[in-house]
Amino acid sequence: MEWLLNTIHYVVPFIVLLGVLVFVHEFGHFIVARKLGVNVSAFSIGFGKELWSVTDKQGTVWKISAIPLGGYCQFLGDADESSSTSEVDLSKYSEEEQKHLFATQKPIKKLAIAIAGPFFNYLFAFVVFFGLFFFIGSYDIPPVVSGVIEGSPAEKAGILEKDVILEVNGVEIKEWTDISREISVSSDNVNLLIKRNDEKISVTVPLEDMDYAFDEQEKPIKRRMIGIKGEAKRFRDAKSDFNFTLSVKKAALEVYNVTDMTLRGLGQIIRGERSSEDVGGIIRIAEMSGDISRSRGIWDFISFMALLSINLGLINLFPIPLLDGGHVVIYLLEIVSRRELNAKIKDCLLKVGVGFILFLMVFATWNDIKHLIERWFE
């Protein structure tokens, strides 16, 4: 019975989460390609064996496949699902069909189609955050310490209850989520400027791995913290005073903050200031989505989905061959040089990209497995 509950709490939310994000991303490619006159031969959620399919009036096969770990939008003329075809045998297609092949389009059109996937991920996140703020509402938690964990670095540094956090690492703090964000991208120490009564005090607090759980139903995980508490961030069940303009601004700010936090964290890993063990993959996403579905509300799950959508869009914009960002670089080069990049160079770049992506997947999966072992068996 326990395995069934784990399946419901971890596998089902993960499949729903990934399915929605993949659909959003690939639909971006699809809709822009259609608008620009490129025929789409297949749109799939998942890879591998086809489980269900239907063909629309334009000849696109919409399908769900057996392996729910991604998806693809395959254009007319592509030799495979990756849409990475360098050369197309035009003799296989009529003169009219050739006009609608992806391979025969101008670089500017290819660029628009490539960018559309990540753009739709960002648009989706913005719409989700806007909807949550406008229709559900939210409240901003003041940056006031409501408790200090016994034996924590914060307690040892002399931080007290009711201290007001003014700055973290030189960044002005307006609400509690600003504190969480800045601490999450800190490496070893956190520099705080706090207000106690009418006095301002500067203090340096080391980060320490501590047990963290959202509530008593969650199994604690190790998380680098300083050991201060604030009221848990949750969306209200009733609408608060969010009007349209304020909701738009707050949604845009949320999208910006997530992007900024991700890039800063990645930069720290590259510079060696942060452990590469923080790099997670599919297993980590499944774990987090399961934890949220078990012990939090639907709004937290939807918010998490928006956060992952931003990360998916951002990662796909990295200039790595095989990802959308790699294609963007190639199309920009072709626009500037006014000639198509050599097919052999494209194929070589593609192989490098495939190798790099496979390495990252293996590395992230290894980190995920170690994380699970530490969480469940230590």
Side-chain angles (χ1 to χ4, degrees):
M1 189 66 181
E2 185 177 352
W3 69 268
L4 181 59
L5 290 175
N6 285 333
T7 299
I8 294 173
H9 287 309
Y10 285 93
V11 178
V12 174
F14 169 68
I15 292 177
V16 171
L17 177 77
L18 203 60
V20 171
L21 297 186
V22 168
F23 177 84
V24 167
H25 182 89
E26 298 301 333
F27 187 76
H29 293 310
F30 167 82
I31 195 66
V32 173
R34 275 269 182 96
K35 293 295 183 181
L36 295 178
V38 177
N39 285 352
V40 181
S41 55
F43 187 108
S44 177
I45 301 299
F47 297 103
K49 185 177 179 180
E50 180 182 305
L51 301 178
W52 172 88
S53 68
V54 62
T55 304
D56 65 21
K57 295 180 180 180
Q58 283 73 35
T60 301
V61 180
W62 296 77
K63 54 187 177 180
I64 297 176
S65 300
I67 306 174
L69 299 179
Y72 58 88
C73 179
Q74 186 173 2
F75 304 118
L76 181 65
D78 291 344
D80 53 47
E81 294 89 343
S82 67
S83 297
S84 58
T85 312
S86 295
E87 295 181 327
V88 177
D89 185 0
L90 297 180
S91 64
K92 294 181 179 180
Y93 303 95
S94 67
E95 187 174 337
E96 180 60 28
E97 286 176 328
Q98 290 179 23
K99 297 178 182 178
H100 303 286
L101 296 175
F102 179 80
T104 60
Q105 304 303 310
K106 294 181 179 179
I108 189 67
K109 286 188 176 183
K110 293 180 180 179
L111 177 65
I113 294 170
I115 291 177
F119 173 76
F120 265 61
N121 280 127
Y122 268 85
L123 180 62
F124 172 78
F126 173 81
V127 170
V128 167
F129 285 135
F130 170 80
L132 289 173
F133 292 135
F134 187 72
F135 294 106
I136 307 300
S138 170
Y139 59 86
D140 297 333
I141 303 164
V144 180
V145 178
S146 63
V148 181
I149 298 175
E150 185 178 351
S152 67
E155 184 186 54
K156 295 173 184 176
I159 295 178
L160 304 176
E161 185 178 343
K162 296 185 179 179
D163 281 349
V164 180
I165 309 297
L166 302 177
E167 292 182 2
V168 176
N169 294 332
V171 178
E172 183 183 0
I173 299 301
K174 296 181 179 179
E175 57 185 82
W176 189 267
T177 52
D178 295 335
I179 301 174
S180 302
R181 183 178 66 252
E182 293 304 320
I183 290 179
S184 71
V185 294
S186 298
S187 51
D188 296 315
N189 297 313
V190 179
N191 299 311
L192 302 178
L193 177 63
I194 63 177
K195 181 180 179 182
R196 183 177 299 160
N197 299 321
D198 295 326
E199 183 183 7
K200 292 184 179 179
I201 305 170
S202 295
V203 60
T204 298
V205 186
L207 282 167
E208 184 178 301
D209 289 335
M210 303 176 65
D211 286 336
Y212 170 83
F214 185 81
D215 56 34
E216 63 276 1
Q217 296 179 4
E218 269 190 13
K219 189 175 180 64
I221 60 174
K222 291 292 184 182
R223 182 170 168 179
R224 289 175 66 76
M225 301 185 295
I226 62 174
I228 58 175
K229 296 179 180 179
E231 188 180 0
K233 178 190 176 186
R234 278 202 171 191
F235 287 100
R236 289 178 187 253
D237 292 328
K239 184 179 177 182
S240 60
D241 300 326
F242 276 78
N243 57 36
F244 182 87
T245 302
L246 182 58
S247 297
V248 168
K249 290 181 178 179
K250 192 165 179 64
L253 181 62
E254 194 78 14
V255 170
Y256 171 81
N257 285 336
V258 172
T259 303
D260 176 64
M261 184 175 65
T262 303
L263 289 175
R264 288 165 64 186
L266 179 62
Q268 290 173 342
I269 292 175
I270 294 174
R271 293 192 300 270
E273 300 171 358
R274 191 185 188 95
S275 173
S276 58
E277 291 183 357
D278 289 340
V279 177
I282 292 294
I283 297 175
R284 190 83 59 93
I285 294 173
E287 178 191 12
M288 294 175 71
S289 63
D291 287 342
I292 292 172
S293 70
R294 288 183 65 179
S295 58
R296 309 190 196 181
I298 183 64
W299 307 125
D300 293 288
F301 184 79
I302 294 175
S303 182
F304 177 63
M305 186 182 294
L307 185 150
L308 278 185
S309 188
I310 294 171
N311 279 272
L312 177 61
L314 180 61
I315 290 171
N316 268 278
L317 286 174
F318 290 165
I320 300 172
L322 189 66
L323 297 182
D324 294 324
H327 294 306
V328 166
V329 172
I330 290 175
Y331 302 144
L332 286 174
L333 288 174
E334 291 180 344
I335 291 172
V336 172
S337 64
R338 296 185 179 181
R339 63 179 180 179
E340 188 172 355
L341 200 63
N342 184 277
K344 291 184 179 180
I345 295 178
K346 286 184 180 180
D347 288 338
C348 182
L349 291 173
L350 177 63
K351 291 176 182 177
V352 171
V354 169
F356 184 71
I357 295 300
L358 287 175
F359 167 77
L360 283 181
M361 290 176 62
V362 172
F363 182 72
T365 302
W366 173 246
N367 280 345
D368 290 349
I369 292 173
K370 287 198 301 180
H371 172 77
L372 283 179
I373 292 173
E374 291 173 357
R375 178 179 179 182
W376 295 101
F377 298 104
E378 291 188 1

CSV table of all heavy atoms in Angstrom, one decimal, residues 44-93:
chain,number,residue,atom,x,y,z
A,44,SER,N,4.9,15.8,-29.9
A,44,SER,CA,4.8,14.7,-29.0
A,44,SER,C,5.1,15.1,-27.6
A,44,SER,O,6.1,15.9,-27.3
A,44,SER,CB,5.8,13.6,-29.4
A,44,SER,OG,5.7,12.5,-28.5
A,45,ILE,N,4.3,14.6,-26.6
A,45,ILE,CA,4.7,14.7,-25.2
A,45,ILE,C,5.2,13.4,-24.8
A,45,ILE,O,4.5,12.4,-24.8
A,45,ILE,CB,3.4,15.1,-24.3
A,45,ILE,CG1,2.8,16.4,-24.8
A,45,ILE,CG2,3.8,15.1,-22.9
A,45,ILE,CD1,3.7,17.6,-24.7
A,46,GLY,N,6.5,13.3,-24.5
A,46,GLY,CA,7.2,12.1,-24.2
A,46,GLY,C,8.0,11.6,-25.5
A,46,GLY,O,7.8,12.1,-26.6
A,47,PHE,N,8.8,10.5,-25.2
A,47,PHE,CA,9.6,9.9,-26.3
A,47,PHE,C,9.2,8.4,-26.4
A,47,PHE,O,8.5,7.9,-25.5
A,47,PHE,CB,11.1,10.1,-26.0
A,47,PHE,CG,11.6,11.5,-26.0
A,47,PHE,CD1,11.8,12.1,-24.8
A,47,PHE,CD2,11.8,12.2,-27.2
A,47,PHE,CE1,12.3,13.4,-24.7
A,47,PHE,CE2,12.2,13.5,-27.1
A,47,PHE,CZ,12.5,14.1,-25.9
A,48,GLY,N,9.8,7.8,-27.4
A,48,GLY,CA,9.6,6.3,-27.5
A,48,GLY,C,8.3,5.9,-28.1
A,48,GLY,O,7.7,6.6,-29.0
A,49,LYS,N,7.8,4.8,-27.7
A,49,LYS,CA,6.6,4.2,-28.3
A,49,LYS,C,5.4,5.1,-28.2
A,49,LYS,O,5.1,5.6,-27.1
A,49,LYS,CB,6.3,2.8,-27.7
A,49,LYS,CG,5.1,2.1,-28.3
A,49,LYS,CD,4.9,0.7,-27.7
A,49,LYS,CE,3.8,0.0,-28.4
A,49,LYS,NZ,3.5,-1.3,-27.8
A,50,GLU,N,4.7,5.2,-29.3
A,50,GLU,CA,3.4,6.0,-29.3
A,50,GLU,C,2.3,5.3,-28.5
A,50,GLU,O,2.0,4.2,-28.8
A,50,GLU,CB,3.1,6.3,-30.7
A,50,GLU,CG,1.8,7.1,-30.9
A,50,GLU,CD,1.5,7.3,-32.4
A,50,GLU,OE1,2.3,7.8,-33.1
A,50,GLU,OE2,0.3,6.9,-32.8
A,51,LEU,N,1.7,6.0,-27.6
A,51,LEU,CA,0.6,5.5,-26.8
A,51,LEU,C,-0.8,5.9,-27.3
A,51,LEU,O,-1.8,5.2,-27.3
A,51,LEU,CB,0.7,5.9,-25.3
A,51,LEU,CG,2.0,5.4,-24.6
A,51,LEU,CD1,2.0,5.9,-23.2
A,51,LEU,CD2,2.1,3.9,-24.6
A,52,TRP,N,-0.8,7.2,-27.9
A,52,TRP,CA,-2.0,7.8,-28.4
A,52,TRP,C,-1.7,8.8,-29.4
A,52,TRP,O,-0.6,9.5,-29.2
A,52,TRP,CB,-2.8,8.4,-27.2
A,52,TRP,CG,-4.0,9.2,-27.6
A,52,TRP,CD1,-5.3,8.7,-27.9
A,52,TRP,CD2,-4.0,10.6,-27.9
A,52,TRP,NE1,-6.1,9.8,-28.3
A,52,TRP,CE2,-5.4,10.9,-28.3
A,52,TRP,CE3,-3.1,11.6,-27.9
A,52,TRP,CZ2,-5.7,12.2,-28.7
A,52,TRP,CZ3,-3.4,12.9,-28.3
A,52,TRP,CH2,-4.8,13.2,-28.6
A,53,SER,N,-2.5,9.0,-30.4
A,53,SER,CA,-2.2,10.0,-31.4
A,53,SER,C,-3.5,10.4,-32.1
A,53,SER,O,-4.4,9.7,-32.2
A,53,SER,CB,-1.2,9.6,-32.4
A,53,SER,OG,-1.7,8.5,-33.2
A,54,VAL,N,-3.4,11.7,-32.7
A,54,VAL,CA,-4.5,12.2,-33.5
A,54,VAL,C,-3.9,13.1,-34.5
A,54,VAL,O,-2.9,13.8,-34.2
A,54,VAL,CB,-5.6,12.9,-32.7
A,54,VAL,CG1,-5.0,14.1,-31.9
A,54,VAL,CG2,-6.8,13.2,-33.5
A,55,THR,N,-4.4,13.2,-35.7
A,55,THR,CA,-3.8,14.0,-36.7
A,55,THR,C,-4.8,15.2,-37.0
A,55,THR,O,-6.0,14.9,-37.3
A,55,THR,CB,-3.6,13.2,-38.0
A,55,THR,OG1,-2.7,12.1,-37.7
A,55,THR,CG2,-2.9,14.1,-39.1
A,56,ASP,N,-4.3,16.4,-37.0
A,56,ASP,CA,-5.2,17.6,-37.2
A,56,ASP,C,-5.3,17.8,-38.8
A,56,ASP,O,-4.7,17.1,-39.6
A,56,ASP,CB,-4.7,18.8,-36.5
A,56,ASP,CG,-3.4,19.3,-36.9
A,56,ASP,OD1,-2.9,19.0,-38.1
A,56,ASP,OD2,-2.7,20.0,-36.2
A,57,LYS,N,-6.0,18.9,-39.1
A,57,LYS,CA,-6.3,19.2,-40.5
A,57,LYS,C,-5.1,19.6,-41.3
A,57,LYS,O,-5.0,19.5,-42.5
A,57,LYS,CB,-7.4,20.3,-40.6
A,57,LYS,CG,-8.8,19.8,-40.0
A,57,LYS,CD,-9.7,21.0,-40.1
A,57,LYS,CE,-11.1,20.6,-39.6
A,57,LYS,NZ,-12.1,21.7,-39.7
A,58,GLN,N,-4.1,20.1,-40.6
A,58,GLN,CA,-2.8,20.6,-41.2
A,58,GLN,C,-1.8,19.4,-41.4
A,58,GLN,O,-0.7,19.7,-41.9
A,58,GLN,CB,-2.2,21.7,-40.5
A,58,GLN,CG,-2.9,23.1,-40.7
A,58,GLN,CD,-4.2,23.2,-40.0
A,58,GLN,OE1,-4.4,22.7,-38.9
A,58,GLN,NE2,-5.2,23.8,-40.7
A,59,GLY,N,-2.2,18.2,-40.9
A,59,GLY,CA,-1.3,17.1,-41.0
A,59,GLY,C,-0.3,16.9,-39.9
A,59,GLY,O,0.5,16.0,-39.9
A,60,THR,N,-0.5,17.6,-38.8
A,60,THR,CA,0.4,17.4,-37.6
A,60,THR,C,-0.2,16.3,-36.8
A,60,THR,O,-1.3,16.2,-36.5
A,60,THR,CB,0.4,18.7,-36.8
A,60,THR,OG1,0.9,19.8,-37.5
A,60,THR,CG2,1.3,18.5,-35.6
A,61,VAL,N,0.7,15.4,-36.5
A,61,VAL,CA,0.3,14.2,-35.6
A,61,VAL,C,0.6,14.6,-34.1
A,61,VAL,O,1.7,14.8,-33.7
A,61,VAL,CB,1.2,13.0,-36.0
A,61,VAL,CG1,0.7,11.8,-35.0
A,61,VAL,CG2,1.0,12.6,-37.4
A,62,TRP,N,-0.5,14.7,-33.4
A,62,TRP,CA,-0.4,15.1,-31.9
A,62,TRP,C,-0.4,13.7,-31.2
A,62,TRP,O,-1.3,12.9,-31.4
A,62,TRP,CB,-1.5,15.9,-31.5
A,62,TRP,CG,-1.6,17.3,-32.1
A,62,TRP,CD1,-2.0,17.5,-33.4
A,62,TRP,CD2,-1.2,18.5,-31.5
A,62,TRP,NE1,-1.9,18.9,-33.6
A,62,TRP,CE2,-1.4,19.5,-32.5
A,62,TRP,CE3,-0.7,18.9,-30.3
A,62,TRP,CZ2,-1.1,20.8,-32.3
A,62,TRP,CZ3,-0.4,20.2,-30.1
A,62,TRP,CH2,-0.6,21.2,-31.0
A,63,LYS,N,0.7,13.5,-30.4
A,63,LYS,CA,0.7,12.2,-29.7
A,63,LYS,C,1.3,12.3,-28.3
A,63,LYS,O,2.0,13.2,-28.0
A,63,LYS,CB,1.5,11.2,-30.6
A,63,LYS,CG,2.9,11.7,-31.0
A,63,LYS,CD,3.6,10.7,-31.9
A,63,LYS,CE,4.9,11.2,-32.4
A,63,LYS,NZ,5.6,10.2,-33.3
A,64,ILE,N,1.0,11.2,-27.6
A,64,ILE,CA,1.6,11.0,-26.2
A,64,ILE,C,2.4,9.7,-26.3
A,64,ILE,O,1.9,8.7,-26.8
A,64,ILE,CB,0.5,10.9,-25.2
A,64,ILE,CG1,-0.3,12.2,-25.1
A,64,ILE,CG2,1.1,10.5,-23.8
A,64,ILE,CD1,-1.4,12.1,-24.1
A,65,SER,N,3.7,9.8,-25.9
A,65,SER,CA,4.6,8.7,-26.0
A,65,SER,C,4.9,8.1,-24.6
A,65,SER,O,4.6,8.7,-23.6
A,65,SER,CB,5.8,9.1,-26.8
A,65,SER,OG,5.5,9.6,-28.1
A,66,ALA,N,5.5,6.9,-24.7
A,66,ALA,CA,5.7,6.1,-23.4
A,66,ALA,C,6.6,6.7,-22.4
A,66,ALA,O,6.4,6.5,-21.2
A,66,ALA,CB,6.1,4.7,-23.8
A,67,ILE,N,7.7,7.3,-22.8
A,67,ILE,CA,8.7,7.8,-21.9
A,67,ILE,C,8.4,9.3,-21.6
A,67,ILE,O,8.8,10.2,-22.4
A,67,ILE,CB,10.1,7.6,-22.4
A,67,ILE,CG1,10.3,6.2,-22.8
A,67,ILE,CG2,11.2,8.0,-21.4
A,67,ILE,CD1,11.7,5.9,-23.5
A,68,PRO,N,7.9,9.6,-20.4
A,68,PRO,CA,7.4,11.0,-20.1
A,68,PRO,C,8.5,11.9,-19.6
A,68,PRO,O,8.4,12.7,-18.7
A,68,PRO,CB,6.3,10.8,-19.1
A,68,PRO,CG,6.9,9.7,-18.3
A,68,PRO,CD,7.5,8.7,-19.3
A,69,LEU,N,9.7,11.9,-20.3
A,69,LEU,CA,10.8,12.7,-19.8
A,69,LEU,C,11.2,13.8,-20.8
A,69,LEU,O,12.4,14.1,-20.9
A,69,LEU,CB,12.0,11.8,-19.5
A,69,LEU,CG,11.8,10.7,-18.5
A,69,LEU,CD1,13.1,9.8,-18.3
A,69,LEU,CD2,11.4,11.3,-17.1
A,70,GLY,N,10.2,14.3,-21.5
A,70,GLY,CA,10.5,15.4,-22.4
A,70,GLY,C,9.4,15.4,-23.5
A,70,GLY,O,8.3,14.9,-23.3
A,71,GLY,N,9.8,15.9,-24.7
A,71,GLY,CA,8.9,15.9,-25.8
A,71,GLY,C,9.6,16.6,-27.0
A,71,GLY,O,10.8,17.0,-26.9
A,72,TYR,N,8.9,16.7,-28.1
A,72,TYR,CA,9.5,17.4,-29.3
A,72,TYR,C,8.4,17.9,-30.2
A,72,TYR,O,7.3,17.4,-30.2
A,72,TYR,CB,10.4,16.4,-30.0
A,72,TYR,CG,9.7,15.1,-30.5
A,72,TYR,CD1,9.1,15.0,-31.7
A,72,TYR,CD2,9.7,14.0,-29.7
A,72,TYR,CE1,8.5,13.9,-32.1
A,72,TYR,CE2,9.1,12.8,-30.1
A,72,TYR,CZ,8.5,12.8,-31.3
A,72,TYR,OH,7.9,11.6,-31.7
A,73,CYS,N,8.9,18.8,-31.0
A,73,CYS,CA,8.1,19.4,-32.1
A,73,CYS,C,8.9,19.2,-33.4
A,73,CYS,O,9.9,19.8,-33.6
A,73,CYS,CB,7.8,20.9,-31.8
A,73,CYS,SG,6.9,21.7,-33.1
A,74,GLN,N,8.4,18.2,-34.2
A,74,GLN,CA,9.2,17.8,-35.4
A,74,GLN,C,8.7,18.5,-36.6
A,74,GLN,O,7.5,18.4,-36.9
A,74,GLN,CB,9.1,16.3,-35.5
A,74,GLN,CG,10.0,15.8,-36.7
A,74,GLN,CD,10.1,14.2,-36.7
A,74,GLN,OE1,9.4,13.6,-35.9
A,74,GLN,NE2,10.8,13.7,-37.6
A,75,PHE,N,9.6,19.2,-37.3
A,75,PHE,CA,9.2,20.0,-38.5
A,75,PHE,C,9.3,19.1,-39.7
A,75,PHE,O,10.0,18.2,-39.8
A,75,PHE,CB,10.0,21.2,-38.6
A,75,PHE,CG,10.0,22.1,-37.4
A,75,PHE,CD1,11.2,22.4,-36.7
A,75,PHE,CD2,8.8,22.7,-37.0
A,75,PHE,CE1,11.1,23.2,-35.6
A,75,PHE,CE2,8.8,23.5,-35.9
A,75,PHE,CZ,9.9,23.8,-35.2
A,76,LEU,N,8.5,19.5,-40.7
A,76,LEU,CA,8.6,18.8,-42.0
A,76,LEU,C,10.0,18.9,-42.6
A,76,LEU,O,10.6,19.9,-42.7
A,76,LEU,CB,7.6,19.5,-43.0
A,76,LEU,CG,7.5,18.8,-44.4
A,76,LEU,CD1,6.9,17.4,-44.3
A,76,LEU,CD2,6.7,19.7,-45.3
A,77,GLY,N,10.5,17.7,-42.9
A,77,GLY,CA,11.9,17.6,-43.5
A,77,GLY,C,12.9,17.2,-42.5
A,77,GLY,O,14.0,16.8,-42.8
A,78,ASP,N,12.6,17.2,-41.2
A,78,ASP,CA,13.5,16.8,-40.1
A,78,ASP,C,13.7,15.3,-40.2
A,78,ASP,O,12.7,14.5,-40.3
A,78,ASP,CB,13.0,17.1,-38.7
A,78,ASP,CG,13.1,18.6,-38.5
A,78,ASP,OD1,13.7,19.3,-39.3
A,78,ASP,OD2,12.4,19.1,-37.5
A,79,ALA,N,14.9,14.8,-40.1
A,79,ALA,CA,15.2,13.4,-40.2
A,79,ALA,C,14.9,12.7,-38.9
A,79,ALA,O,14.7,11.5,-38.8
A,79,ALA,CB,16.7,13.1,-40.6
A,80,ASP,N,14.9,13.4,-37.8
A,80,ASP,CA,14.6,12.9,-36.5
A,80,ASP,C,13.9,13.9,-35.6
A,80,ASP,O,13.7,15.0,-36.0
A,80,ASP,CB,15.9,12.4,-35.8
A,80,ASP,CG,17.0,13.5,-35.7
A,80,ASP,OD1,16.6,14.6,-35.3
A,80,ASP,OD2,18.1,13.2,-36.1
A,81,GLU,N,13.6,13.4,-34.3
A,81,GLU,CA,12.8,14.3,-33.4
A,81,GLU,C,13.6,15.5,-32.9
A,81,GLU,O,13.0,16.4,-32.4
A,81,GLU,CB,12.4,13.4,-32.2
A,81,GLU,CG,11.4,12.3,-32.6
A,81,GLU,CD,12.1,11.0,-32.9
A,81,GLU,OE1,13.3,11.1,-33.2
A,81,GLU,OE2,11.4,10.0,-32.9
A,82,SER,N,14.9,15.5,-33.0
A,82,SER,CA,15.7,16.6,-32.5
A,82,SER,C,15.7,17.8,-33.3
A,82,SER,O,16.2,18.9,-32.9
A,82,SER,CB,17.1,16.1,-32.3
A,82,SER,OG,17.8,15.9,-33.5
A,83,SER,N,15.1,17.7,-34.5
A,83,SER,CA,15.1,18.8,-35.5
A,83,SER,C,16.5,19.4,-35.7
A,83,SER,O,16.7,20.6,-35.9
A,83,SER,CB,14.2,20.0,-34.9
A,83,SER,OG,12.9,19.5,-34.8
A,84,SER,N,17.4,18.5,-35.8
A,84,SER,CA,18.8,18.9,-35.9
A,84,SER,C,19.4,18.6,-37.3
A,84,SER,O,20.6,18.6,-37.5
A,84,SER,CB,19.7,18.2,-34.9
A,84,SER,OG,19.6,16.8,-35.0
A,85,THR,N,18.5,18.4,-38.3
A,85,THR,CA,18.9,18.0,-39.6
A,85,THR,C,19.8,19.1,-40.2
A,85,THR,O,19.4,20.3,-40.3
A,85,THR,CB,17.7,17.7,-40.5
A,85,THR,OG1,16.8,16.9,-39.8
A,85,THR,CG2,18.1,17.1,-41.8
A,86,SER,N,20.9,18.8,-40.7
A,86,SER,CA,21.8,19.7,-41.4
A,86,SER,C,21.5,19.9,-42.8
A,86,SER,O,21.5,21.0,-43.4
A,86,SER,CB,23.3,19.4,-41.2
A,86,SER,OG,23.6,19.4,-39.8
A,87,GLU,N,21.2,18.7,-43.5
A,87,GLU,CA,20.9,18.8,-44.9
A,87,GLU,C,19.6,18.0,-45.2
A,87,GLU,O,19.3,17.0,-44.5
A,87,GLU,CB,22.1,18.1,-45.7
A,87,GLU,CG,23.4,18.9,-45.6
A,87,GLU,CD,24.5,18.3,-46.4
A,87,GLU,OE1,24.5,17.0,-46.5
A,87,GLU,OE2,25.3,19.0,-47.0
A,88,VAL,N,18.8,18.5,-46.1
A,88,VAL,CA,17.6,17.9,-46.5
A,88,VAL,C,17.6,17.6,-47.9
A,88,VAL,O,18.0,18.4,-48.8
A,88,VAL,CB,16.4,18.8,-46.1
A,88,VAL,CG1,15.1,18.1,-46.6
A,88,VAL,CG2,16.4,19.1,-44.6
A,89,ASP,N,17.2,16.4,-48.3
A,89,ASP,CA,17.0,16.0,-49.7
A,89,ASP,C,15.8,16.6,-50.3
A,89,ASP,O,14.7,16.1,-50.1
A,89,ASP,CB,17.0,14.4,-49.8
A,89,ASP,CG,17.0,14.0,-51.3
A,89,ASP,OD1,17.1,14.9,-52.2
A,89,ASP,OD2,17.0,12.8,-51.5
A,90,LEU,N,15.9,17.7,-51.0
A,90,LEU,CA,14.8,18.5,-51.5
A,90,LEU,C,14.0,17.7,-52.5
A,90,LEU,O,12.8,18.0,-52.8
A,90,LEU,CB,15.2,19.8,-52.0
A,90,LEU,CG,15.9,20.8,-51.0
A,90,LEU,CD1,16.2,22.1,-51.7
A,90,LEU,CD2,14.9,21.1,-49.8
A,91,SER,N,14.7,16.7,-53.2
A,91,SER,CA,14.0,16.0,-54.2
A,91,SER,C,12.8,15.2,-53.7
A,91,SER,O,12.0,14.7,-54.5
A,91,SER,CB,15.0,15.1,-54.9
A,91,SER,OG,15.5,14.1,-54.0
A,92,LYS,N,12.8,14.9,-52.4
A,92,LYS,CA,11.7,14.2,-51.8
A,92,LYS,C,10.4,15.0,-51.7
A,92,LYS,O,9.4,14.4,-51.4
A,92,LYS,CB,12.1,13.6,-50.4
A,92,LYS,CG,13.2,12.6,-50.5
A,92,LYS,CD,13.6,12.2,-49.0
A,92,LYS,CE,14.7,11.2,-49.0
A,92,LYS,NZ,15.0,10.7,-47.6
A,93,TYR,N,10.5,16.3,-51.9
A,93,TYR,CA,9.4,17.2,-51.6
A,93,TYR,C,9.0,18.0,-52.9
A,93,TYR,O,9.9,18.3,-53.7
A,93,TYR,CB,9.7,18.1,-50.5
A,93,TYR,CG,10.1,17.4,-49.2
A,93,TYR,CD1,11.5,17.2,-48.9
A,93,TYR,CD2,9.2,16.9,-48.3
A,93,TYR,CE1,11.8,16.5,-47.8
A,93,TYR,CE2,9.5,16.3,-47.2
A,93,TYR,CZ,10.9,16.1,-46.9
A,93,TYR,OH,11.2,15.4,-45.8
